[in-house]
Amino acid sequence: MIKNTGIGILAMFGVLILLSINVRYTCAQTAVKQGNPVPQNFCIDAREMNLYLMINDYRQRYNLPPVPLSKSLSYVAALHAKDLFLNHPDQGACNFHSWSNKGFWVPFCYPKDENKKNSVWDKPRELTKYPSRAYEIVYWENNPLLTDTVMMVWKMEDYFNSFLLNTGKWQGKPWNAIGIAVYENYACAWFGEVSDPEGAATVCGSVPTASKDTVKQAVQTEVLSQPKDSIPVTYCIIVNSLLTKDAANKLVSTLKSKGYPDAKVLEKNGKFQVSISESQDKAAIMLKLKELKKMYRGAWLLKRDKVTR
C-alpha cells in the first residue's frame, strides 16, 4: 500500500513537472501575438526600391548574395519611419528604435524597455505575419533624404555596414529578408534571417517583377520633376545642441584650444548649437563626421542654406 502510494505520488509529481515545462514553453512561444497580413494595397516607392538595389549592388561587390525584398519588413519599416517623423518617440532615454503610443502597436522605449521577454525586435511578428524577429538600422537628417546620402552613411559607419555586409555581430547569420522605407527625414531598414511568407514588396504603380532599369528610370523621373535647388548649401557637424548661450560659447573656446579653429555657435529661435566643422562638399564633410564620431559619438550633420544662416 505504501509502495503504491509512493508510485502514485511520483507519477503525479512527474505530471506536474511536464505540465510546468509545457506551460513555460507555451508562454515563451506566445509572448508576442502574431500580427495580421500586410494590407493588400501596400507598396514601396521608387526611392525605396532604389535604396534596396543599392544595398544589393554593394553586397555583390563583396561576393555576397542578394537579400530578398520583404513585403512584411518593408511595411514595418514604413510604419516606423512615419512614426519617427510624426510622433518623435526618440525622446529622453528612448532612441531611434523606439515606437510611440500614437499607433495600433505596443509603445516601446528602446533600450529602456528591452529585456529577456520584451524586445523591440519582435515588432515584425507583432505587426505582420513575419514569423521571427528582425533587426533595424535608422538614418536621420534634418532635411528630406536622398538615397545616395543614406547609402553613403550606412557604408561609412561600421555599425551600419555590419548589417549590409554580415560582418561583426552578424557574421555567419545571412539575411533572408530585408524591408526598406524612406519617409521625409528618416530611412529605416529591417533585416531578418527568416524568409517572408508574404513574399516581396512591389513598387507602387509597377508590376511585381520591376527590373533595375525600370526602377532607375522611375527614380530619375522623380528627381528631374523636382525643382532645382539654386541655394548654396553648407553642411555643419554639430557636437552639442540645446545649450545656453554661455555654455555654447565656452564649448567653442574649448574646441578652438584643442585645434578646431572653425568651431562656432549657431543660433536659431533662441536655441544654441555648437558646430565643430563645416563644408559645402558633402562627401568631404561625411568623411570628417566619421572621424569626429570617434571622439564625439553624438555628432550629427546639419544642412544649412542662406535662409537659415
Side-chain angles (χ1 to χ4, degrees):
M1 190 73 176
I2 294 175
K3 289 182 179 180
N4 290 339
T5 303
I7 292 171
I9 292 173
L10 287 172
M12 290 178 63
F13 184 64
V15 170
L16 287 173
I17 291 175
L18 289 173
L19 286 172
S20 175
I21 292 172
N22 185 59
V23 167
R24 289 199 299 271
Y25 177 79
T26 303
C27 290
Q29 292 296 101
T30 59
V32 178
K33 184 178 179 181
Q34 192 72 61
N36 296 316
V38 175
Q40 290 186 354
N41 63 347
F42 173 75
C43 57
I44 64 174
D45 65 26
R47 288 184 311 157
E48 292 162 335
M49 177 59 88
N50 190 49
L51 182 55
Y52 165 71
L53 294 174
M54 292 171 72
I55 290 173
N56 276 337
D57 284 345
Y58 180 52
R59 287 174 60 84
Q60 187 177 21
R61 295 180 209 166
Y62 293 86
N63 298 315
L64 294 171
V67 186
L69 181 60
S70 163
K71 183 177 182 180
S72 298
L73 295 186
S74 292
Y75 178 64
V76 175
L79 290 176
H80 196 209
K82 289 180 181 179
D83 186 42
L84 286 167
F85 177 75
L86 297 173
N87 302 314
H88 301 289
D90 51 319
Q91 301 292 324
C94 311
N95 69 18
F96 282 147
H97 300 303
S98 303
W99 293 69
S100 77
N101 61 355
K102 306 294 185 182
F104 58 88
W105 49 78
V106 177
F108 204 103
C109 175
Y110 185 84
K112 181 181 177 182
D113 294 339
E114 188 83 0
N115 56 57
K116 291 182 179 180
K117 296 181 181 179
N118 194 27
S119 176
V120 73
W121 311 129
D122 284 317
K123 284 298 174 190
R125 283 196 291 196
E126 175 193 334
L127 298 172
T128 70
K129 290 295 183 182
Y130 190 75
S132 183
R133 286 184 175 182
Y135 307 92
E136 180 190 42
I137 57 175
V138 177
Y139 176 74
W140 171 86
E141 193 176 304
N142 67 319
N143 292 276
L145 301 183
L146 295 174
T147 52
D148 286 346
T149 303
V150 176
M151 194 63 194
M152 179 171 63
V153 173
W154 282 354
K155 288 193 294 185
M156 288 174 55
E157 291 285 345
D158 291 340
Y159 174 76
F160 298 138
N161 195 56
S162 68
F163 281 83
L164 302 181
L165 298 181
N166 292 107
T167 59
K169 178 180 178 180
W170 308 110
Q171 189 169 5
K173 299 179 180 180
W175 305 125
N176 287 300
I178 183 174
I180 302 290
V182 178
Y183 188 79
E184 296 292 342
N185 308 71
Y186 293 88
C188 300
W190 282 78
F191 298 79
E193 296 180 64
V194 177
S195 298
D196 184 2
E198 294 223 44
T202 58
V203 180
C204 302
S206 72
V207 294
T209 55
S211 66
K212 286 187 178 183
D213 291 340
T214 301
V215 173
K216 288 180 179 179
Q217 184 177 3
V219 173
Q220 291 170 358
T221 301
E222 180 184 14
V223 171
L224 290 172
S225 66
Q226 296 176 353
K228 297 292 184 180
D229 185 2
S230 59
I231 302 174
V233 172
T234 299
Y235 299 95
C236 305
I237 297 176
I238 305 299
V239 294
N240 212 326
S241 304
L242 304 178
L243 297 169
T244 64
K245 185 176 182 179
D246 289 342
N249 286 325
K250 185 176 180 180
L251 177 56
V252 165
S253 297
T254 301
L255 290 172
K256 287 185 175 181
S257 69
K258 290 183 176 181
Y260 297 102
D262 296 331
K264 63 172 64 174
V265 176
L266 305 179
E267 186 271 335
K268 184 176 182 181
N269 299 328
K271 296 180 180 179
F272 299 90
Q273 301 171 321
V274 172
S275 167
I276 194 172
S277 182
E278 66 177 44
S279 174
Q280 292 187 351
D281 185 335
K282 191 165 189 177
I285 202 68
M286 290 303 300
L287 289 173
K288 187 71 173 179
L289 176 63
K290 183 178 181 181
E291 174 190 333
L292 287 170
K293 271 184 171 289
K294 296 175 183 178
M295 294 176 289
Y296 303 95
R297 296 185 63 184
W300 54 280
L301 202 64
L302 173 69
K303 181 179 177 182
R304 307 177 78 219
D305 53 37
K306 285 186 177 180
V307 176
T308 58
R309 289 177 71 82

